[in-house]
Amino acid sequence: MIVIMISAPRRRALTALTAVGASAALVLTAAACSSDSGAGSGSAEGAVVTSFYPLQFATEQITGSALPVTSLTKPGAEPHDLELAPQDVAGLTKARLVIYADGFQPAVDDAMAQVDPSRVLDIADAASLTLPASQDGHDHSGESAAAHAEHSADDPHFWLDPQRYAAVAKAIGARLAKDDPAKAATYAANTDAFVAKLTALDGEFAKGLASCRSKVLVTSHAAFGYLAKRYGLEQHGISGISPDAEPSAAALQEISDLVRNEGVTTIFQETLVEPKFAQTVATSTGAKLGTLDPIEGITTESAGKDYFEVMRSNLGALQQGLGCS
Ligand SMILES: [Zn+2]
């Protein structure tokens, strides 16, 4: 039921097409060429179109097999700087429902102007995006004001906090039930089951991170603010909220000093972005590199086949890197 279109890898989609993925990609590209923009599928007539992986995954869990669900961001593409071709935007207007998070992907925000508002669900309110985008432990003096403003005012990474993700799932379930009353009971039951799994995951994180040698979480891109807040950690992002933002020399120095002063032993890089700056900090401080996945997409290189598996991999990496017992 899921339409996944894979076009040629772009700049940041380095991990998308491994040897394993390449043959599948060739077949799919031949079947349905999209623009080389990171866009996954814009021509989902009658489908529920979601803007990126966590919204796609939640929606699939809730619809079961009742409705086709697609994602605008193809697997392996970095979603922050998604670009949409005119045909992608035109496709959006044929969707049954478009589910997105306002303020996360500028191209999607722009496209919403052309979609009937009665067929759009913005989950930004349900996600209660209370952390400002700048709250990543270092200032943004190295960025231009325009580059910073582009990130939007709020940290969008709600799905890395299972409680926020559950609230979003409930909003999606309620909306699907409202639009399709005949299947309301199914959507409600599926939502409850999904929320129960998120609640269990939340419990595992709370328990697993309760007793750690260090609470200082140094990450390559500041995607883990809500997770850190939920479980009492202190996040310091090297690249800020968007992995595109290049840290200044002063910001790198500041992070390196923090790593030394706090005795941080692990710098966490992420899966979709080259570890250049994390590597710089690790090399200059003698810290090790660990991997945390912000789960903005699942690829063959992800440490699991879905959100839950990758979150549990993240928990293991955090426990090891922070010395949790
Ligand atoms: Zn991100």
Side-chain angles (χ1 to χ4, degrees), residues 158-184:
F158 64 87
W159 59 94
L160 297 167
D161 168 4
Q163 292 190 29
R164 277 185 167 75
Y165 196 23
V168 167
K170 287 176 188 170
I172 294 171
R175 176 57 185 263
L176 291 169
K178 180 167 158 275
D179 287 358
D180 188 5
K183 298 200 185 80

Side-chain angles (χ1 to χ4, degrees), residues 52 78-80 104 155-157 159-160 221-224 240-243 270 273 294-296:
F52 71 115
E78 202 289 309
H80 286 267
F104 179 40
D155 179 349
H157 303 92
W159 59 94
L160 297 167
H221 115 259
F224 299 87
I241 284 292
S242 167
E270 66 166 276
V273 178
I295 321 185
E296 294 177 348

Side-chain angles (χ1 to χ4, degrees), residues 6 11 55 95 114 134 212 232:
I6 303 172
R11 183 162 64 84
L55 294 178
Q114 310 200 29
S134 58
C212 303

Side-chain angles (χ1 to χ4, degrees), residues 16-253:
L17 300 179
T18 60
V20 177
S23 57
L26 288 173
V27 172
L28 288 170
T29 307
C33 274
S34 178
S35 61
D36 184 16
S37 64
S41 170
S43 58
E45 192 160 355
V48 179
V49 177
T50 61
S51 59
F52 71 115
Y53 173 74
L55 294 178
Q56 176 190 17
F57 182 64
T59 305
E60 286 169 357
Q61 301 304 299
I62 295 165
T63 58
S65 55
L67 292 171
V69 178
T70 67
S71 173
L72 283 173
T73 309
K74 72 184 180 185
E78 202 289 309
H80 286 267
D81 54 359
L82 175 74
E83 292 164 27
L84 296 176
Q87 66 265 30
D88 298 324
V89 177
L92 273 179
T93 64
K94 301 188 186 109
R96 164 193 295 265
L97 178 67
V98 180
I99 302 176
Y100 83 116
D102 188 49
F104 179 40
Q105 296 167 287
V108 178
D109 295 351
D110 292 348
M112 285 308 120
Q114 310 200 29
V115 181
D116 176 357
S118 73
R119 289 196 287 163
V120 172
L121 173 63
D122 168 18
I123 56 72
D125 282 348
S128 57
L129 305 178
T130 51
L131 288 182
S134 58
Q135 192 171 346
D136 50 21
H138 69 273
D139 72 25
H140 289 255
S141 53
E143 294 177 38
S144 69
H148 194 203
E150 207 179 275
H151 305 169
S152 98
D154 301 312
D155 179 349
H157 303 92
F158 64 87
W159 59 94
L160 297 167
D161 168 4
Q163 292 190 29
R164 277 185 167 75
Y165 196 23
V168 167
K170 287 176 188 170
I172 294 171
R175 176 57 185 263
L176 291 169
K178 180 167 158 275
D179 287 358
D180 188 5
K183 298 200 185 80
T186 301
Y187 299 142
N190 290 347
T191 301
D192 287 350
F194 184 54
V195 167
K197 286 167 82 175
L198 288 170
T199 303
L201 182 72
D202 177 47
E204 288 172 41
F205 266 78
K207 193 162 172 248
L209 298 175
S211 175
C212 303
R213 190 185 46 72
S214 173
K215 295 281 185 188
V216 179
L217 174 60
V218 178
T219 60
S220 57
H221 115 259
F224 299 87
Y226 294 113
L227 185 155
K229 192 169 170 18
R230 180 67 65 199
Y231 306 112
L233 306 177
E234 184 191 314
Q235 177 186 240
H236 295 267
I238 297 173
S239 302
I241 284 292
S242 167
D244 274 345
E246 300 218 344
S248 63
L252 282 176
Q253 183 63 50

